[in-house]
Amino acid sequence: MPSAKRPDRSGPPPRPARSTGAAGSAGPFTSLDFQLVLLRRMADHNPDLVDDARRKLGVSAADMREANRRWQAMLHAPRGRAAASRYRSVLGTPESVTERRIGDLTCEAWQWPLPLWPDLRFEVLVAQKGAVWNEWLVRAPGAPAPELRTSADLRPWCCTVDEVARAFAPARPLEGTAPTRWGLSFTAADAEGVRRECAAEFTWGLLQRVSVTGQPR
């Protein structure tokens, strides 16, 4: 009887499993996965920027979809963590915790760095008993803000909600199309100096696109 053929072991060794959760649902949900969640929502407006960012992180489009699926499952789990606890479990201890007063109410601003946006921080406003009031990207303390003088300066991903609101005051909030989206309406000069009504759209607090909505003023 012929002996069994031995397997060929001359080929390359199998790739080791990644230690991050982005490789599959079995791993922990990490800061990398959370960055993919942010990108997944931004892909609706700027797919090319998202593809470039995803390649920098070394993950596939399937990894991004899987991270978003797992995040949504955590959000809607019957016995899921409170929002504030969920962010701590995914992002770790905040880089900074600052008391902040909004009107007559006091909350804490928790901020974390994200490698994909080194000049920004992910900020969560946490009220009593862990309730989350807001969650978005803001400029990192000490990082230079962009100069926003005309609508031509408003490039995707260059600035945040509060930066546009200050640069083109008085800006009016617009209703977003999803919980993680915001809008602002304002008047800004174009590249020729003509003032026009504009509308800006943001995802997770980061500018995605600007459209001219009105006639010259």
Side-chain angles (χ1 to χ4, degrees):
M1 181 175 179
S3 59
K5 186 177 180 181
R6 298 182 64 183
D8 182 7
R9 301 183 184 276
S10 60
R15 294 175 63 187
R18 292 169 60 107
S19 61
T20 63
S25 59
F29 200 92
T30 67
S31 173
L32 170 59
D33 294 288
F34 184 68
Q35 290 173 90
L36 296 180
V37 170
L38 303 187
L39 289 176
R40 177 63 185 85
R41 183 64 75 178
M42 296 178 191
D44 295 337
H45 291 321
N46 293 293
D48 291 342
L49 287 176
V50 168
D51 286 345
D52 289 344
R54 179 175 53 74
R55 284 190 284 267
K56 285 182 180 179
L57 295 174
V59 296
S60 68
D63 290 332
M64 185 172 67
R65 291 192 296 270
E66 174 64 11
N68 188 67
R69 183 198 66 78
R70 294 177 62 195
W71 178 256
Q72 294 300 321
M74 285 193 289
L75 293 183
H76 299 102
R79 298 181 181 179
R81 296 173 180 264
S85 299
R86 182 169 57 248
Y87 282 119
R88 276 187 174 270
S89 71
V90 170
L91 300 175
T93 302
E95 179 183 70
S96 66
V97 176
T98 307
E99 186 175 286
R100 190 172 298 174
R101 192 166 185 82
I102 301 176
D104 295 332
L105 302 175
T106 301
C107 65
E108 289 185 339
W110 298 359
Q111 292 188 354
W112 291 267
L114 295 177
L116 194 55
W117 293 286
D119 289 339
L120 302 177
R121 294 293 182 267
F122 187 75
E123 180 182 84
V124 176
L125 298 183
V126 183
Q128 293 181 349
K129 299 182 180 179
V132 170
W133 286 352
N134 197 21
E135 45 209 325
W136 59 6
L137 292 163
V138 299
R139 189 66 51 187
E147 292 187 5
L148 304 176
R149 297 176 180 174
T150 71
S151 58
D153 297 325
L154 298 173
R155 301 178 304 278
W157 293 19
C158 80
C159 53
T160 63
V161 172
D162 59 326
E163 289 169 342
V164 175
R166 289 196 302 267
F168 301 103
R172 301 172 297 281
L174 299 173
E175 185 175 355
T177 57
T180 59
R181 291 179 177 167
W182 293 263
L184 286 177
S185 174
F186 54 91
T187 302
D190 61 18
E192 287 72 41
V194 180
R195 294 180 61 79
R196 300 175 183 269
E197 285 291 324
C198 300
E201 296 179 69
F202 304 82
T203 300
W204 292 103
L206 194 61
L207 178 67
Q208 301 300 309
R209 64 184 179 188
V210 176
S211 58
V212 177
T213 60
Q215 297 297 317
R217 298 184 60 177

